[in-house]
């Protein structure tokens, strides 16, 4: 299956569980998507987890954040997943400051036509600065 079709399918599944994300099926799907290689899908799953206050997925969010920090330009362009994960963890009152400090210090130079663009992630406030 082509990459874009697989991503579209994953995003569609997330849209379907949005009404009942805390159901057993919803938790299983969110956990699977947080392990996905598609940062856009990981970002959407993290957003759902944060909005729905699903504290049992905190460990999965932390693992996904760590994965997105390895080769970040390839796995999480524009810091989409890292930003949503950080916001969800902040909302869930995650207390390990090391993750947030790692995010604050993270500088990601994104390739753009004619050079590079700076992305700085500020997860405590759930925003990033261009």
């Amino acid at each position: 299956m082509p990459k874009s079709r697989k991503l579209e399918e994953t995003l569609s599944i997330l849209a379907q569980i949005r009404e009942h994300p805390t159901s057993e099926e919803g938790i299983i799907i969110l956990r699977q998507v947080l392990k996905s290689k598609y940062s856009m899908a990981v970002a959407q799953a993290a957003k759902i987890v944060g909005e729905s206050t699903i504290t049992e997925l905190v460990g999965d969010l932390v693992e996904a954040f760590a994965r997105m920090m390895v080769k970040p330009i390839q796995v999480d362009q524009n810091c989409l997943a890292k930003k949503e994960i950080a916001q969800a963890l902040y909302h869930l009152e995650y207390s390990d400051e090391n993750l947030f400090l790692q995010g604050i210090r993270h500088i990601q130079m994104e390739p753009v036509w004619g050079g590079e663009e700076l992305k700085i992630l500020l997860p405590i406030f759930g925003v990033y600065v261009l």
Side-chain angles (χ1 to χ4, degrees), residues 8-45:
E8 287 177 21
E9 183 180 299
T10 303
L11 293 174
S12 174
I13 291 169
L14 285 173
Q16 292 172 16
I17 66 151
R18 200 172 252 290
E19 287 185 34
H20 303 289
T22 58
S23 68
E24 186 176 329
E25 179 186 13
I27 299 293
I28 290 168
I29 290 170
L30 287 168
R31 186 167 274 138
Q32 288 173 343
V33 174
L34 287 171
K35 292 176 178 19
S36 171
K37 64 180 179 179
Y38 302 112
S39 64
M40 187 180 294
V42 172
Q44 286 298 313

Side-chain angles (χ1 to χ4, degrees), residues 82-97:
K82 289 187 290 291
K83 174 184 164 261
E84 290 297 339
I85 292 168
Q87 285 181 320
L89 288 170
Y90 180 72
H91 178 75
L92 296 170
E93 298 180 5
Y94 180 70
S95 62
D96 183 359
E97 68 274 357

Side-chain angles (χ1 to χ4, degrees), residues 92-120:
L92 296 170
E93 298 180 5
Y94 180 70
S95 62
D96 183 359
E97 68 274 357
N98 290 325
L99 183 136
F100 293 109
L101 290 172
Q102 181 184 14
I104 288 171
R105 294 177 183 133
H106 178 68
I107 296 173
Q108 187 164 317
M109 298 301 290
E110 293 283 338
V112 294
W113 188 77
E116 295 178 318
E117 181 177 78
L118 177 65
K119 300 286 182 183
I120 302 173

